[in-house]
Amino acid sequence: EIGQATSMILDIIKLFAFIMDALEKRLDFDRGMIMLANQDRTRLIYTSGYGYTPGQMDYLRDIEFDLTNPDSRGAFVLAFRKQIPFLINDLSEIEQEISPKSLAFAKRMGTQSFICAPIAFKGESLGVLVVDNIHSKRTLGQSDINLLMGIAPQIAISIRNAMSYRSITESEE
């Protein structure tokens, strides 16, 4: 039992490493990450990313965003819940609207502007894809949103396929 679960997780980790590698090489974003809902869909948790310092990676691995709070105003949770992308070009413009936790997170990560796109499959939210430019300071725009909204469903299909493939092989064993 444990072996199968572990190999499923390894398949998905390999999949994410591949996706992040492709994003890093092909897209003009300094950093990117995927956060996915946990199994009971109560929290968003860091799953994979690129462009972060080791200290930021440690921080990311510990952070969770609550999906159960109806008053949550963070872009990650709203993108997940409403399945719409968010482009924030200046964090200071939304400081009043987001939770202290989201603000602390953004400041800790050094984020000024970012895009958060929902990862959804057949109407079901799986997580979010987040990118930002911390070094290049290239302004993010509608074309970036369009690009991510084209990529996010492909990520969702990959995740769904990896999970389905696993459950088929498990039922055959």
Side-chain angles (χ1 to χ4, degrees), residues 85-153:
F86 284 89
L87 164 60
I88 309 297
N89 250 323
D90 185 356
L91 193 67
S92 60
E93 287 172 11
I94 61 158
E95 277 185 9
Q96 306 308 313
E97 295 161 39
I98 59 176
S99 70
K101 181 179 180 173
S102 293
L103 187 60
F105 172 77
K107 291 204 158 141
R108 175 84 182 261
M109 299 309 288
T111 302
Q112 263 315 301
S113 62
F114 66 93
I115 295 174
C116 178
I119 298 173
F121 182 77
K122 293 187 175 168
E124 181 196 9
S125 292
L126 303 177
V128 292
L129 171 62
V130 185
V131 297
D132 70 352
N133 287 327
I134 192 165
H135 308 298
S136 73
K137 304 283 192 251
R138 180 179 69 81
T139 308
L140 300 168
Q142 187 61 47
S143 62
D144 295 306
I145 295 176
N146 296 348
L147 182 66
L148 293 177
M149 290 302 283
I151 294 167

Side-chain angles (χ1 to χ4, degrees), residues 33 59 64-65 73 85-86 89 107 110 132 148 156 159:
M33 73 168 142
Y59 176 65
E64 296 179 343
F65 292 95
R73 302 183 307 276
F86 284 89
N89 250 323
K107 291 204 158 141
D132 70 352
L148 293 177
I159 295 167

Side-chain angles (χ1 to χ4, degrees), residues 20-171:
M20 285 298 137
D21 191 53
L23 291 182
E24 187 171 13
K25 287 190 170 87
R26 297 200 176 95
L27 303 184
D28 190 18
F29 303 112
D30 296 340
R31 302 191 299 193
M33 73 168 142
I34 291 173
M35 296 194 97
L36 291 184
N38 60 346
Q39 227 164 355
D40 56 6
R41 303 176 60 77
T42 55
R43 297 184 308 284
L44 273 178
I45 49 180
Y46 172 81
T47 311
S48 190
Y50 72 88
Y52 298 98
T53 66
Q56 288 168 336
M57 290 300 265
D58 289 343
Y59 176 65
L60 282 171
R61 286 189 189 101
D62 289 337
I63 195 112
E64 296 179 343
F65 292 95
D66 186 0
L67 292 171
T68 62
N69 178 358
D71 300 325
S72 186
R73 302 183 307 276
F76 295 3
V77 174
L78 291 179
F80 179 88
R81 210 174 267 162
K82 298 181 174 182
Q83 295 184 4
I84 54 171
F86 284 89
L87 164 60
I88 309 297
N89 250 323
D90 185 356
L91 193 67
S92 60
E93 287 172 11
I94 61 158
E95 277 185 9
Q96 306 308 313
E97 295 161 39
I98 59 176
S99 70
K101 181 179 180 173
S102 293
L103 187 60
F105 172 77
K107 291 204 158 141
R108 175 84 182 261
M109 299 309 288
T111 302
Q112 263 315 301
S113 62
F114 66 93
I115 295 174
C116 178
I119 298 173
F121 182 77
K122 293 187 175 168
E124 181 196 9
S125 292
L126 303 177
V128 292
L129 171 62
V130 185
V131 297
D132 70 352
N133 287 327
I134 192 165
H135 308 298
S136 73
K137 304 283 192 251
R138 180 179 69 81
T139 308
L140 300 168
Q142 187 61 47
S143 62
D144 295 306
I145 295 176
N146 296 348
L147 182 66
L148 293 177
M149 290 302 283
I151 294 167
Q154 302 306 314
I155 295 173
I157 290 166
S158 302
I159 295 167
R160 200 33 90 213
N161 286 347
M163 290 172 171
S164 302
Y165 174 72
R166 266 295 145 209
S167 56
I168 291 164
T169 37
E170 280 168 19
S171 64

